[in-house]
Amino acid sequence: MHILQDKQKLIGFLKEKALWVRRQTLMIHKIAPETRLASSLSDVEIFVALYYGGILKFDPKDINWQERDRFIISKGHGAISLYPILADLGYFPMEELKRVCKEDSFLGGIPDIIIPGFETTNGSLGHGLGVACGMATALKRKKSDSAVFVLIGDGELYEGSVWEAIMFASEHKLDNLVVIIDNNKICMLDYCKNIIDLTPLEKKFRTFNWKVKTIDGHDVRKICNTLHPLKIDRSGRPKVVIADTIKGRGVPQLEGDSLCHIKSLKEGEINDLLKGQK
Amino acid sequence: MSGALRTMRDAFIEQIYNKMRHMDDIFFLTADFGAPSLDKIRCEFRDRFINVGIAEQNLINVATGLALEGCKVYAYAIAPFITMRAYEQIRSNLSISSQIKPVNVNLIGVGAGVSYVVSGPTHHCLEDISIMRLLPNFTVFSPSDWKLAELFADYSINKKMPKYLRFDGTPLPSIYEDVEDLEIEKGFHEIKKGGKICLVSTGFMTHRALAAANESDDIGVIDVFMLKPVHNELLYNAVKKYECIITIEEAFINSGGLDSLVSKLLHDNQSNIKLKSLGFNDKYVFELGDRNYLHKINKLDKDSITSAVRDFYGKRQN
């Protein structure tokens, strides 16, 4: 695991990594325009903080290492930005990034359990938290220190099965469970507030007896400073971090567009963006 | 048929209870559905018996998470709800996932067919054979008596794949005297050897088939207790000596159930054996009455089976 001891250096390193992941995600989108770009850009800093910020315990050489922390990407459709991170860490060769959605590749438009580093079947929404509850229950019974992290999209909260799991987690005191909501506030066709308003989200989770924190989901320092103590905290309650993010972060054509989820960029637009970034 | 009446679920749960005493990686989950036989597990293994509440979707998801951590999981609910309420969870997290990672989740659906007679079409389960059979990587077990259910316990623990156990809801006499020599993966047993006609049935309907077959030495009975996977070659070898097969199932016919299984078997072997299917036609059952009555109005009672047999002889003479 890569942990830089110097905090200042670490934050700088994470920011650099986030920039690199954005570029790589754009390049993947160039090869495979059907990948969901906007929702894969809102969670970049969350992935970077988890994997490079010393939050997750993992071993790319032993992907089923019993002591690893489990990370379920429930919002599977918006997770191609994890591909460059997993490749960089050694889960599979970097060359694979050039073949996303191509014949013989295992990296699809929506990640699957077949990809080294992915714990579960993703893409169909609303399953991740319930599966995480099962994992967290098993780990607690085994007296394991490992934590279970889940990334959920805010639009995914419309699935009823998520609330079945929210009730389950607090009832069973799953304090080894940390949920991160990628709160980018846009669904496929509109802003969530125009579909069914999810606010006040903090209050909803608190009512279900969860520990809740709200942070800027693009601030790697805040993500690290929030997730690390929450992971260690074992005080009987499951924990949720509402990470306020921007869908399509870093791409002016997408940011703020209520239909950005289903928009693909043209090759020329991607090239211009790549030129504009270091 | 012999012995005392017993439910499949009681016989099976008793075995799982015995296993749980020695194996601490077995979890029993329920969607707020009980049984007196379950009380021992509920009281004795408080850390491994989990009632997720009336939440079948979460039942499947939590079961998946436990199984991905290496646990052996039993998920228990009423048959139509554990299959259909949570079908997409079953598809994604059990059927798809198990192709890549071992997922030993055993779905116990109680109340196959019209077991819950007067509860109406929501509680009848006439679709499960078809829809569970179509899922890749799944085993579908449909026993006709509690001895078979009991036999399946060891297999369910050892085979690390998702399984659907289709249990009748009512206490029934045992059909099998001795199940020790039965091979589960063979998937069927010729209970009665006949001459020209073979009744091929599953679950509760094997009791009906046997009652009808007792009328004549010419009628054989094959009990198909594994609807998936099916040992096609052995099953064909068993049926090929007959001139006519009548499939009998407490499920919708012409929709991918037992009748489709046998039909494909005959087709693949370019067989001339005549085939007739008995089961529920393409509509739900709102009528009230006991199971015999529901069977009678849907032509699944003993007389209807006998009449289907006579029909074959009538046509044969013409």
Side-chain angles (χ1 to χ4, degrees):
Chain A
M1 207 186 324
H2 193 141
I3 309 174
L4 295 176
Q5 295 303 319
D6 185 317
K7 193 87 186 209
Q8 231 11 67
K9 274 189 186 165
L10 173 67
I11 299 304
F13 171 74
L14 294 180
K15 284 179 179 171
E16 282 295 315
K17 275 289 177 194
L19 206 58
W20 176 78
V21 171
R22 282 215 151 68
R23 287 176 64 84
Q24 291 294 321
T25 305
L26 281 165
M27 287 201 276
I28 290 170
H29 186 67
K30 198 165 130 181
I31 301 164
E34 63 270 37
T35 48
R36 294 276 180 263
L37 181 62
S39 50
S40 295
L41 290 174
S42 60
D43 49 25
V44 167
E45 281 81 5
I46 297 167
F47 288 146
V48 165
L50 282 166
Y51 280 92
Y52 298 104
I55 309 293
L56 283 183
K57 201 165 49 170
F58 58 88
D59 181 1
K61 291 191 187 70
D62 182 7
I63 56 174
N64 294 317
W65 180 38
Q66 278 304 306
E67 288 174 40
R68 76 191 185 282
D69 293 319
R70 279 62 165 167
F71 180 33
I72 294 178
I73 301 98
S74 197
K75 53 160 285 183
H77 56 279
I80 56 159
S81 46
L82 191 58
Y83 293 173
I85 295 174
L86 293 178
D88 184 43
L89 291 169
Y91 280 88
F92 45 81
M94 285 294 283
E95 288 298 304
E96 293 292 336
L97 298 181
K98 293 176 185 161
R99 305 198 307 127
V100 175
C101 295
K102 303 294 176 208
E103 202 172 301
D104 285 341
S105 174
F106 52 81
L107 299 170
I110 290 173
D112 254 315
I113 193 167
I114 201 164
I115 303 172
F118 278 85
E119 300 274 353
T120 57
T121 300
N122 310 282
S124 173
L125 297 177
H127 298 328
L129 184 52
V131 176
C133 286
M135 285 179 166
T137 303
L139 291 170
K140 274 182 93 76
R141 299 289 190 282
K142 289 178 191 169
K143 313 264 184 240
S144 163
D145 287 334
S146 299
V148 184
F149 288 80
V150 192
L151 180 70
I152 303 180
D154 54 339
E156 192 177 353
L157 293 169
Y158 291 134
E159 292 282 7
S161 53
V162 177
W163 296 93
E164 292 181 0
I166 287 170
M167 288 188 279
F168 182 94
S170 51
E171 177 61 33
H172 289 272
K173 301 184 170 46
L174 299 180
D175 52 10
N176 53 349
L177 178 67
V178 184
V179 167
I180 304 159
I181 294 176
D182 179 7
N183 193 32
N184 63 34
K185 303 169 197 70
I186 298 176
C187 266
M188 189 146 90
L189 294 183
D190 206 344
Y191 282 89
C192 293
K193 66 181 180 188
N194 297 334
I195 301 168
I196 293 172
D197 195 355
L198 289 160
T199 58
L201 206 44
E202 295 93 335
K203 197 175 169 189
K204 284 174 179 146
F205 274 96
R206 283 200 183 99
T207 306
F208 282 104
N209 205 24
W210 281 57
K211 190 169 215 173
V212 191
K213 300 270 180 199
T214 300
I215 57 167
D216 175 350
H218 293 303
D219 184 335
V220 282
R221 181 193 301 270
K222 288 226 173 78
I223 301 171
C224 288
N225 288 345
T226 308
L227 286 182
H228 200 260
L230 278 186
K231 177 187 162 178
I232 300 164
D233 172 359
R234 299 290 163 102
S235 52
R237 285 195 293 164
K239 296 146 281 187
V240 59
V241 175
I242 299 168
D244 284 325
T245 57
I246 296 165
K247 202 159 178 176
R249 170 78 166 189
V251 177
Q253 301 94 304
L254 298 178
E255 285 188 21
D257 182 343
S258 62
L259 286 172
C260 65
H261 185 88
I262 44 176
K263 287 202 169 156
S264 294
L265 298 185
K266 294 187 177 67
E267 197 177 333
E269 290 178 297
I270 298 171
N271 290 339
D272 290 345
L273 281 164
L274 291 173
K275 271 184 226 156
Q277 292 178 13
K278 283 182 189 171
Chain B
M1 280 180 264
S2 62
L5 299 181
R6 201 161 183 218
T7 61
M8 297 171 188
R9 72 166 192 214
D10 286 349
F12 186 78
I13 288 170
E14 179 74 26
Q15 290 302 310
I16 300 306
Y17 166 78
N18 291 335
K19 300 290 175 191
M20 285 178 85
R21 294 173 64 190
H22 310 291
M23 302 172 79
D24 59 9
D25 57 351
I26 299 177
F27 277 75
F28 202 106
L29 273 50
T30 175
D32 198 36
F33 181 57
S37 56
L38 201 51
D39 288 348
K40 276 203 290 189
I41 292 180
R42 188 163 60 87
C43 299
E44 211 167 303
F45 306 109
R46 288 181 183 277
D47 60 337
R48 290 185 286 140
F49 173 87
I50 301 174
N51 184 353
V52 302
I54 309 160
E56 288 81 5
Q57 297 176 70
N58 203 38
L59 175 74
I60 305 300
N61 289 344
V62 172
T64 305
L66 286 162
L68 286 171
E69 291 300 329
C71 303
K72 301 162 181 84
V73 190
Y74 294 85
Y76 179 73
I78 299 177
F81 308 135
I82 200 169
T83 53
M84 285 173 269
R85 180 65 176 239
Y87 194 63
E88 205 271 335
Q89 278 76 13
I90 293 172
R91 171 181 173 263
S92 291
N93 293 318
L94 300 182
S95 185
I96 295 178
S97 296
S98 63
Q99 198 157 314
I100 308 299
K101 294 185 180 181
V103 181
N104 190 357
V105 172
N106 299 277
L107 307 178
I108 309 169
V110 177
V114 290
S115 301
Y116 294 123
V117 229
V118 293
S119 297
T122 56
H123 284 58
H124 296 162
C125 193
L126 304 173
E127 303 90 341
D128 60 335
I129 294 180
S130 309
I131 63 169
M132 298 309 287
R133 229 167 62 81
L134 77 81
L135 291 170
N137 309 311
F138 248 88
T139 292
V140 180
F141 177 59
S142 173
S144 56
D145 80 353
W146 59 265
K147 284 194 179 177
L148 279 175
E150 202 172 59
L151 179 72
F152 198 72
D154 275 339
Y155 185 80
S156 72
I157 285 175
N158 296 328
K159 181 157 176 165
K160 292 175 182 165
M161 295 294 276
K163 301 166 216 84
Y164 172 54
L165 285 56
R166 180 185 199 257
F167 285 171
D168 200 81
T170 52
L172 295 168
S174 61
I175 287 175
Y176 291 86
E177 291 290 335
D178 189 5
V179 289
E180 295 300 314
D181 296 330
L182 278 187
E183 291 169 55
I184 285 180
E185 289 194 337
K186 187 177 154 196
F188 68 92
H189 183 66
E190 187 168 15
I191 299 175
K192 180 178 177 248
K193 289 195 193 303
K196 296 183 179 62
I197 290 198
C198 183
L199 308 178
V200 177
S201 55
T202 190
F204 178 84
M205 295 317 290
T206 297
H207 294 259
R208 281 264 183 278
L210 279 170
N214 281 338
E215 308 260 305
S216 161
D217 288 342
D218 214 17
I219 309 173
V221 175
I222 290 179
D223 179 35
V224 180
F225 51 80
M226 282 282 264
L227 294 160
K228 184 176 188 173
V230 185
H231 201 303
N232 286 320
E233 199 182 326
L234 292 180
L235 184 56
Y236 185 67
N237 284 343
V239 299
K240 69 182 180 189
K241 61 180 179 280
Y242 292 99
E243 287 180 32
C244 175
I245 293 172
I246 300 174
T247 62
I248 313 169
E249 59 198 303
E250 214 181 24
F252 288 129
I253 53 170
N254 304 317
S255 306
L258 177 67
D259 57 342
S260 304
L261 186 162
V262 175
S263 172
K264 184 170 184 325
L265 187 72
L266 299 184
H267 177 266
D268 288 351
N269 287 283
Q270 298 177 315
S271 166
N272 292 322
I273 301 172
K274 290 185 174 51
L275 178 65
K276 184 173 176 61
S277 303
L278 298 180
F280 287 84
N281 282 308
D282 200 24
K283 68 181 175 73
Y284 287 102
V285 180
F286 284 94
E287 290 85 353
L288 295 172
D290 64 13
R291 204 169 192 174
N292 282 334
Y293 177 72
L294 295 192
H295 281 184
K296 195 174 175 184
I297 60 175
N298 287 282
K299 298 193 170 18
L300 278 169
D301 59 323
K302 191 183 140 199
D303 288 349
S304 299
I305 299 169
T306 310
S307 146
V309 170
R310 269 202 304 269
D311 191 41
F312 160 73
Y313 282 109
K315 280 184 183 152
R316 206 163 161 260
Q317 280 160 8
N318 288 335

Short mmCIF file of all heavy atoms in Angstrom, two decimals, chain A residues 200-228:
data_model
loop_
_atom_site.label_atom_id
_atom_site.label_comp_id
_atom_site.label_asym_id
_atom_site.label_seq_id
_atom_site.Cartn_x
_atom_site.Cartn_y
_atom_site.Cartn_z
N PRO A 200 -34.01 16.44 3.35
CA PRO A 200 -32.67 16.53 3.94
C PRO A 200 -32.10 15.13 4.15
O PRO A 200 -32.59 14.38 4.98
CB PRO A 200 -32.93 17.23 5.27
CG PRO A 200 -34.34 16.83 5.62
CD PRO A 200 -35.07 16.54 4.35
N LEU A 201 -31.05 14.84 3.42
CA LEU A 201 -30.47 13.50 3.44
C LEU A 201 -29.83 13.15 4.79
O LEU A 201 -29.97 12.03 5.28
CB LEU A 201 -29.44 13.40 2.30
CG LEU A 201 -29.17 12.03 1.72
CD1 LEU A 201 -30.43 11.23 1.46
CD2 LEU A 201 -28.39 12.20 0.41
N GLU A 202 -29.14 14.15 5.35
CA GLU A 202 -28.48 13.89 6.66
C GLU A 202 -29.52 13.44 7.68
O GLU A 202 -29.32 12.47 8.41
CB GLU A 202 -27.80 15.16 7.21
CG GLU A 202 -26.65 15.66 6.37
CD GLU A 202 -27.10 16.70 5.36
OE1 GLU A 202 -28.30 16.69 4.98
OE2 GLU A 202 -26.26 17.50 4.92
N LYS A 203 -30.64 14.18 7.71
CA LYS A 203 -31.68 13.90 8.70
C LYS A 203 -32.26 12.50 8.50
O LYS A 203 -32.54 11.78 9.45
CB LYS A 203 -32.78 14.96 8.57
CG LYS A 203 -33.68 15.04 9.77
CD LYS A 203 -34.66 16.18 9.63
CE LYS A 203 -35.73 16.09 10.72
NZ LYS A 203 -36.79 17.06 10.49
N LYS A 204 -32.40 12.13 7.22
CA LYS A 204 -32.96 10.81 6.94
C LYS A 204 -32.06 9.71 7.51
O LYS A 204 -32.53 8.78 8.15
CB LYS A 204 -33.15 10.62 5.43
CG LYS A 204 -34.36 11.38 4.92
CD LYS A 204 -34.52 11.36 3.43
CE LYS A 204 -35.78 12.12 3.07
NZ LYS A 204 -35.73 12.84 1.83
N PHE A 205 -30.76 9.83 7.27
CA PHE A 205 -29.84 8.81 7.79
C PHE A 205 -29.78 8.84 9.32
O PHE A 205 -29.73 7.81 9.97
CB PHE A 205 -28.44 8.98 7.19
CG PHE A 205 -28.28 8.29 5.87
CD1 PHE A 205 -28.45 8.97 4.67
CD2 PHE A 205 -27.99 6.93 5.81
CE1 PHE A 205 -28.33 8.33 3.45
CE2 PHE A 205 -27.86 6.27 4.59
CZ PHE A 205 -28.02 6.98 3.41
N ARG A 206 -29.79 10.07 9.89
CA ARG A 206 -29.73 10.15 11.36
C ARG A 206 -30.97 9.50 11.98
O ARG A 206 -30.88 8.84 13.01
CB ARG A 206 -29.62 11.62 11.81
CG ARG A 206 -28.23 12.16 11.62
CD ARG A 206 -27.91 13.38 12.45
NE ARG A 206 -26.56 13.81 12.09
CZ ARG A 206 -26.30 14.79 11.25
NH1 ARG A 206 -27.29 15.48 10.70
NH2 ARG A 206 -25.05 15.10 10.95
N THR A 207 -32.10 9.70 11.32
CA THR A 207 -33.34 9.09 11.83
C THR A 207 -33.22 7.57 11.84
O THR A 207 -33.77 6.90 12.70
CB THR A 207 -34.53 9.52 10.95
OG1 THR A 207 -34.54 10.94 10.88
CG2 THR A 207 -35.86 9.04 11.50
N PHE A 208 -32.46 7.04 10.90
CA PHE A 208 -32.25 5.59 10.85
C PHE A 208 -31.06 5.16 11.72
O PHE A 208 -30.56 4.06 11.59
CB PHE A 208 -32.04 5.13 9.41
CG PHE A 208 -33.33 5.04 8.62
CD1 PHE A 208 -33.67 6.00 7.68
CD2 PHE A 208 -34.20 3.98 8.83
CE1 PHE A 208 -34.85 5.91 6.96
CE2 PHE A 208 -35.39 3.89 8.11
CZ PHE A 208 -35.72 4.85 7.18
N ASN A 209 -30.60 6.10 12.56
CA ASN A 209 -29.52 5.83 13.53
C ASN A 209 -28.15 5.57 12.90
O ASN A 209 -27.38 4.74 13.36
CB ASN A 209 -29.92 4.67 14.45
CG ASN A 209 -29.20 4.75 15.79
OD1 ASN A 209 -28.78 5.84 16.20
ND2 ASN A 209 -29.03 3.62 16.44
N TRP A 210 -27.88 6.28 11.83
CA TRP A 210 -26.55 6.22 11.23
C TRP A 210 -25.74 7.43 11.68
O TRP A 210 -26.31 8.49 11.97
CB TRP A 210 -26.64 6.26 9.69
CG TRP A 210 -27.01 4.96 9.06
CD1 TRP A 210 -28.12 4.21 9.30
CD2 TRP A 210 -26.26 4.26 8.05
NE1 TRP A 210 -28.11 3.09 8.51
CE2 TRP A 210 -26.99 3.10 7.73
CE3 TRP A 210 -25.06 4.52 7.39
CZ2 TRP A 210 -26.55 2.18 6.78
CZ3 TRP A 210 -24.62 3.61 6.45
CH2 TRP A 210 -25.36 2.44 6.15
N LYS A 211 -24.44 7.29 11.70
CA LYS A 211 -23.55 8.43 11.93
C LYS A 211 -23.33 9.11 10.58
O LYS A 211 -22.98 8.43 9.61
CB LYS A 211 -22.22 7.92 12.49
CG LYS A 211 -21.32 9.00 12.98
CD LYS A 211 -20.17 8.39 13.75
CE LYS A 211 -19.79 9.30 14.90
NZ LYS A 211 -18.81 8.69 15.78
N VAL A 212 -23.53 10.40 10.51
CA VAL A 212 -23.52 11.09 9.22
C VAL A 212 -22.50 12.23 9.19
O VAL A 212 -22.38 13.00 10.15
CB VAL A 212 -24.91 11.72 8.92
CG1 VAL A 212 -24.98 12.20 7.47
CG2 VAL A 212 -26.04 10.73 9.19
N LYS A 213 -21.77 12.33 8.10
CA LYS A 213 -20.88 13.48 7.85
C LYS A 213 -21.16 13.97 6.44
O LYS A 213 -21.36 13.16 5.53
CB LYS A 213 -19.41 13.05 7.93
CG LYS A 213 -18.98 12.48 9.25
CD LYS A 213 -18.47 13.57 10.16
CE LYS A 213 -18.04 12.96 11.49
NZ LYS A 213 -17.96 13.96 12.56
N THR A 214 -21.13 15.27 6.26
CA THR A 214 -21.26 15.82 4.92
C THR A 214 -19.98 16.58 4.58
O THR A 214 -19.50 17.37 5.40
CB THR A 214 -22.48 16.77 4.82
OG1 THR A 214 -23.66 16.02 5.14
CG2 THR A 214 -22.64 17.34 3.43
N ILE A 215 -19.44 16.30 3.41
CA ILE A 215 -18.17 16.94 3.03
C ILE A 215 -18.19 17.35 1.55
O ILE A 215 -19.07 16.93 0.79
CB ILE A 215 -16.95 16.01 3.26
CG1 ILE A 215 -17.14 14.69 2.47
CG2 ILE A 215 -16.72 15.75 4.73
CD1 ILE A 215 -15.88 13.86 2.38
N ASP A 216 -17.18 18.12 1.17
CA ASP A 216 -16.95 18.42 -0.24
C ASP A 216 -16.27 17.19 -0.85
O ASP A 216 -15.16 16.83 -0.48
CB ASP A 216 -16.04 19.66 -0.32
CG ASP A 216 -15.62 19.98 -1.76
OD1 ASP A 216 -15.86 19.15 -2.67
OD2 ASP A 216 -15.04 21.06 -1.97
N GLY A 217 -16.96 16.54 -1.74
CA GLY A 217 -16.47 15.28 -2.32
C GLY A 217 -15.36 15.44 -3.34
O GLY A 217 -14.92 14.44 -3.93
N HIS A 218 -14.91 16.66 -3.58
CA HIS A 218 -13.77 16.85 -4.48
C HIS A 218 -12.53 17.31 -3.72
O HIS A 218 -11.50 17.59 -4.32
CB HIS A 218 -14.13 17.86 -5.59
CG HIS A 218 -15.17 17.34 -6.53
ND1 HIS A 218 -15.02 16.16 -7.23
CD2 HIS A 218 -16.40 17.81 -6.85
CE1 HIS A 218 -16.11 15.93 -7.95
NE2 HIS A 218 -16.97 16.91 -7.74
N ASP A 219 -12.64 17.43 -2.41
CA ASP A 219 -11.53 17.89 -1.57
C ASP A 219 -10.86 16.66 -0.96
O ASP A 219 -11.35 16.09 0.02
CB ASP A 219 -12.07 18.83 -0.50
CG ASP A 219 -10.97 19.43 0.36
OD1 ASP A 219 -9.90 18.80 0.47
OD2 ASP A 219 -11.20 20.52 0.93
N VAL A 220 -9.75 16.25 -1.56
CA VAL A 220 -9.11 15.01 -1.11
C VAL A 220 -8.69 15.06 0.36
O VAL A 220 -8.73 14.04 1.06
CB VAL A 220 -7.89 14.64 -1.99
CG1 VAL A 220 -8.33 14.02 -3.30
CG2 VAL A 220 -6.96 15.80 -2.22
N ARG A 221 -8.29 16.26 0.81
CA ARG A 221 -7.89 16.37 2.21
C ARG A 221 -9.10 16.06 3.13
O ARG A 221 -9.00 15.28 4.06
CB ARG A 221 -7.38 17.79 2.50
CG ARG A 221 -6.92 17.99 3.95
CD ARG A 221 -6.72 19.45 4.26
NE ARG A 221 -5.73 20.09 3.40
CZ ARG A 221 -4.42 20.15 3.67
NH1 ARG A 221 -3.97 19.63 4.78
NH2 ARG A 221 -3.60 20.73 2.83
N LYS A 222 -10.24 16.66 2.78
CA LYS A 222 -11.45 16.45 3.61
C LYS A 222 -11.89 14.98 3.55
O LYS A 222 -12.32 14.41 4.55
CB LYS A 222 -12.59 17.35 3.12
CG LYS A 222 -12.39 18.81 3.45
CD LYS A 222 -13.68 19.41 4.04
CE LYS A 222 -13.44 20.83 4.53
NZ LYS A 222 -13.40 21.81 3.44
N ILE A 223 -11.78 14.41 2.35
CA ILE A 223 -12.21 13.00 2.22
C ILE A 223 -11.36 12.13 3.13
O ILE A 223 -11.87 11.31 3.91
CB ILE A 223 -12.13 12.51 0.75
CG1 ILE A 223 -13.00 13.38 -0.16
CG2 ILE A 223 -12.59 11.06 0.64
CD1 ILE A 223 -12.81 13.12 -1.65
N CYS A 224 -10.03 12.32 3.05
CA CYS A 224 -9.12 11.52 3.88
C CYS A 224 -9.38 11.77 5.36
O CYS A 224 -9.48 10.82 6.16
CB CYS A 224 -7.67 11.86 3.58
SG CYS A 224 -7.13 11.25 1.98
N ASN A 225 -9.47 13.06 5.72
CA ASN A 225 -9.64 13.40 7.14
C ASN A 225 -10.98 12.91 7.70
O ASN A 225 -11.12 12.75 8.91
CB ASN A 225 -9.53 14.92 7.35
CG ASN A 225 -8.10 15.40 7.18
OD1 ASN A 225 -7.16 14.58 7.18
ND2 ASN A 225 -7.91 16.69 7.00
N THR A 226 -11.94 12.69 6.83
CA THR A 226 -13.24 12.20 7.30
C THR A 226 -13.27 10.68 7.32
O THR A 226 -13.70 10.06 8.29
CB THR A 226 -14.37 12.72 6.36
OG1 THR A 226 -14.24 14.13 6.25
CG2 THR A 226 -15.74 12.37 6.91
N LEU A 227 -12.78 10.07 6.24
CA LEU A 227 -12.90 8.61 6.12
C LEU A 227 -12.02 7.85 7.11
O LEU A 227 -12.42 6.81 7.62
CB LEU A 227 -12.59 8.16 4.69
CG LEU A 227 -13.66 8.45 3.64
CD1 LEU A 227 -13.23 7.91 2.28
CD2 LEU A 227 -15.01 7.84 4.02
N HIS A 228 -10.83 8.39 7.35
CA HIS A 228 -9.91 7.64 8.21
C HIS A 228 -10.46 7.43 9.62
O HIS A 228 -10.57 6.28 10.08
CB HIS A 228 -8.53 8.29 8.22
CG HIS A 228 -7.48 7.33 8.67
ND1 HIS A 228 -7.00 7.35 9.97
CD2 HIS A 228 -6.88 6.30 8.04
CE1 HIS A 228 -6.12 6.36 10.10
NE2 HIS A 228 -6.03 5.72 8.95
#
